[in-house]
């Protein structure tokens, strides 16, 4: 991971050289006299993009994880009000890690999500299950997405569901034998951070609903550019491979189950022999697809309307809010087919794709007869347009 500040002059060069990469079939003769970009400049631009990405990613991990996002000026954790979920930025960034060929950090990030998911399942069993508050989803077991939060169907689909599905497919294609176990965990089972030999990354040990806490996790200047792994306080948490059942508050059978889940993480390693030495590789086990299926199942209730056109908001623990408006936007209801159909094809459960395609057909049949255009907002119950204007943009 890079800890260097971004060179603004290099960024300016990148923007200027972009003008030299016009389409070959362009009718604009003004581009024809521009010289081709030299290979050295192409490589410099690619490295600049890697540095820019690492700068942003490092800032989030060191200063905000597992909050939804990072406030870039103050370097403090924050939340995205349309998708109040833990680790939102990390989920939305997973596929880019592979594209940037940062395979080690991808493997660590998957394990961070796995650990956070397990911690939230344990918290759910300790708190929500015993309190008996509310009517939760059937067969609810808690986890990363078992939060009492209203989220945007559209934003959660493109950022969370889409992010998990794309990262899953890229991992299946490119992560074989890329990372060794020693690059992911230290000898105590702690997930490593950056180039350090100890973990030290901040992890949620309190309530996961406190995503907008005001205090930063690392002392950093207001430009969010200083990263010193040695300054990050080491959190006191259990090893990733053992849960102390004898000291846990909830029932032994639940703890034993969770302990089994933790030990199953050991299946994500693979040993190969190179000469006289054994190299143990981290193996991607499809965990992101299981998360995608979970979030998809929580969003599916939005499509349960008279028209099949979905509501715009879902509570991830209780379903569609009672006071949710029946009015949905065109983009929010009609652009979900890609993610939900892909989820169906990867999991074999057709209900996801069927729901999204039904919503698209329901909108299509309600286009204007004369112009074949759509309005901006529609009533999901009556199927009547509440805003008849058409234009560029979702709202």
């Amino acid at each position: 991971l890079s800890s260097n500040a971004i060179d603004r002059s290099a960024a300016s060069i990148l923007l200027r050289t972009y003008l030299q990469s016009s389409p070959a079939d362009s009718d604009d003769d003004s581009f024809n006299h521009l010289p081709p970009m030299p290979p050295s400049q192409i490589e410099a631009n690619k490295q600049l993009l890697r540095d820019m990405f690492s700068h942003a990613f490092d800032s989030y991990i060191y200063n905000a994880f597992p909050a939804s996002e990072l406030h870039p000026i103050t370097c403090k954790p924050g939340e995205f009000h349309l998708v109040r979920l833990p680790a939102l930025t990390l989920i939305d960034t997973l596929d880019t890690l592979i594209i940037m060929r940062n395979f080690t950090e991808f493997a660590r990030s998957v394990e961070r999500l796995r650990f956070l998911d397990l911690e939230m399942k344990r918290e759910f069993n300790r708190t929500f299950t015993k309190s008996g508050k509310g009517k939760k989803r059937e067969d609810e077991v808690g986890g990363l997405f078992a939060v009492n939060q209203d989220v945007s169907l559209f934003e959660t689909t493109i950022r969370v569901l889409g992010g998990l599905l794309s990262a899953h497919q890229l991992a299946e294609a490119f992560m074989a034998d890329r990372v060794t176990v020693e690059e992911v965990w230290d000898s105590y089972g702690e997930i490593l951070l950056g180039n350090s030999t100890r973990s030290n990354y901040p992890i949620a040990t309190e309530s996961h609903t406190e995503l907008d806490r005001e205090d930063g996790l690392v002392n950093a200047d207001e430009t969010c550019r200083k990263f010193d792994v040695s300054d990050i306080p080491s959190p006191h948490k259990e090893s990733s491979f053992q849960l102390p059942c004898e000291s846990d508050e909830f029932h032994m059978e639940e703890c034993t189950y969770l302990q089994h889940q933790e030990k199953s993480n050991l299946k994500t390693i693979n040993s190969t022999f190179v000469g006289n030495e054994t190299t143990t590789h981290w193996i991607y086990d499809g965990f992101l697809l299981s998360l995608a299926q979970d979030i998809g199942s929580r969003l599916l209730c939005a499509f349960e309307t008279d028209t099949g056109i979905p509501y715009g908001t879902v509570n991830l623990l209780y379903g569609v809010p009672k006071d949710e408006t029946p009015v949905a936007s065109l983009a929010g209801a009609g652009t979900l087919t890609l993610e939900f159909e892909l989820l169906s094809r990867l999991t074999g459960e057709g209900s996801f794709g069927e729901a999204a395609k039904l919503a698209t057909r329901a909108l299509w049949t309600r286009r204007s007869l004369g112009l074949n255009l759509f309005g901006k907002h529609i009533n999901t119950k009556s199927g009547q347009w509440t805003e008849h204007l058409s234009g560029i943009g979702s709202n």
Side-chain angles (χ1 to χ4, degrees), residues 10 13-14 17 36-52 100-101:
I13 294 175
L14 176 63
T17 54
M37 189 183 302
S40 60
Q41 187 60 60
I42 293 176
E43 292 303 315
N45 289 346
K46 289 165 65 176
Q47 185 57 50
L48 174 61
L49 291 174
R50 295 188 191 100
D51 292 342
M52 293 170 68
M100 294 289 181
R101 302 184 67 81

Side-chain angles (χ1 to χ4, degrees), residues 74-85:
T74 63
C75 254
K76 293 182 178 180
E79 66 175 11
F80 178 48
H81 71 282
L82 293 177
V83 187
R84 292 185 175 94
L85 284 176

Side-chain angles (χ1 to χ4, degrees), residues 61-224:
I61 291 294
Y62 292 157
N63 297 280
F65 178 80
S68 294
E69 63 182 17
L70 171 73
H71 292 284
I73 303 300
T74 63
C75 254
K76 293 182 178 180
E79 66 175 11
F80 178 48
H81 71 282
L82 293 177
V83 187
R84 292 185 175 94
L85 284 176
L88 175 63
T89 296
L90 183 61
I91 293 171
D92 205 8
T93 308
L94 288 170
D95 53 356
T96 311
L97 286 168
I98 294 183
I99 293 173
M100 294 289 181
R101 302 184 67 81
N102 196 338
F103 303 120
T104 299
E105 192 56 37
F106 175 85
R108 294 173 181 174
S109 296
V110 171
E111 297 306 325
R112 289 181 184 123
L113 291 176
R114 193 195 308 275
F115 179 83
L116 188 58
D117 181 62
L118 179 65
E119 284 292 291
M120 293 178 64
K121 285 179 179 176
R122 297 179 65 197
E123 180 183 343
F124 185 86
N125 279 274
R126 286 195 300 263
T127 58
F128 187 90
T129 302
K130 286 187 175 182
S131 67
K133 295 180 180 179
K135 183 180 179 181
K136 63 181 185 299
R137 295 168 63 250
E138 185 178 358
D139 299 327
E140 179 65 72
V141 295
L144 188 60
F145 304 129
V147 291
N148 185 15
Q149 294 286 354
D150 295 345
V151 300
S152 162
L153 172 66
F154 174 77
E155 293 289 345
T156 307
T157 297
I158 63 174
R159 296 175 186 271
V160 181
L161 182 56
L164 290 170
L165 291 173
S166 58
H168 166 75
Q169 290 185 296
L170 287 170
E172 290 276 311
F174 297 107
M175 284 304 297
D177 297 337
R178 293 286 188 177
V179 181
T180 64
V181 169
E182 289 77 13
E183 293 175 296
V184 180
W185 294 284
D186 65 14
S187 58
Y188 296 98
E190 305 284 348
I191 304 170
L192 295 171
L193 175 69
N195 295 321
S196 176
T197 57
R198 58 192 180 92
S199 60
N200 287 348
Y201 75 93
I203 187 72
T205 55
E206 297 82 22
S207 172
H208 55 265
T209 60
E210 298 176 0
L211 302 180
D212 56 347
R213 56 193 184 281
E214 294 297 326
D215 56 305
L217 298 175
V218 178
N219 293 325
D221 63 8
E222 63 179 7
T223 58
C224 204

